Amino acid sequence: MEPAPHPPEPARPLGRVWLVANRASRSTDEGRIAALEAALQSAGATIAGSSNFPLEPAPEAAALAGIDTLGAASAAATGWDGQFLAIPGGTMNLLPKALHGDASLEAVVAVTGQGVLTHVPVVRAAGHTSYCRIIIGPLTRWARARENERHGRIWRASPAATPACW
């Protein structure tokens, strides 16, 4: 990862946290979310709210008033002055791996107050923001197929996976 254009600054306390997690994902099931919540509370954070992504969108900046930390990088929060916590887990786990290596979510949370805020370079296109990688072309349709399957909508998974060019 290239150096960010802004120098790192001391991390702020986690404070009030809004979690964004895909509860249907195997890597962020209810047990992992409970472990994350316990780790955050042990670190002095207060869980102020959560979103079950992608069924519920990540909150926009106006909804984050009074929230110090968002538990996912989200372009919806543009203009919000809080901090993101890139937590290990999920299909595209590249940003947390780039920032934390193979550390567990509990280890990441435990040292969060001792860390630094790092500005990461992003790519913005067509209203979307990429924090680590961009997937383009027919493969992007697999995300819809995967989410349909996770939520028991098997009849919608096959059409979602069929590229328009076939």
Side-chain angles (χ1 to χ4, degrees):
M1 201 173 193
E2 294 292 320
H6 303 285
E9 55 191 89
R12 298 176 279 206
L14 290 170
R16 294 175 46 83
V17 176
W18 190 283
L19 292 178
V20 179
N22 184 341
R23 293 183 183 301
S25 170
R26 288 180 301 192
S27 62
T28 54
D29 64 14
E30 293 301 326
R32 294 303 294 153
I33 293 169
L36 173 58
E37 289 173 345
L40 287 165
Q41 290 169 349
S42 292
T46 301
I47 310 299
S50 66
S51 297
N52 183 10
F53 186 82
L55 299 176
E56 301 168 336
E60 295 191 13
L64 292 171
I67 301 295
D68 303 298
T69 306
L70 183 60
S74 172
T78 299
W80 170 64
D81 191 31
Q83 61 190 356
F84 294 112
L85 179 58
I87 305 167
T91 304
M92 292 296 287
N93 197 24
L94 300 173
L95 181 59
K97 280 196 178 293
L99 295 172
H100 313 302
D102 289 326
S104 68
L105 66 87
E106 293 87 354
V108 169
V109 171
V111 298
T112 298
Q114 304 160 24
V116 295
L117 294 176
T118 302
H119 297 269
V120 297
V122 300
V123 174
R124 291 190 174 97
H128 299 282
T129 302
S130 172
Y131 295 90
C132 207
R133 177 173 282 175
I134 298 173
I135 299 174
I136 59 173
L139 279 177
T140 60
R141 298 181 63 91
W142 282 107
R144 286 189 210 123
R146 181 190 66 228
E147 292 307 318
N148 280 319
E149 187 273 329
R150 282 181 177 164
H151 297 286
R153 299 182 298 246
I154 303 302
W155 65 93
R156 295 174 96 183
S158 178
T162 305
C165 60
W166 286 3

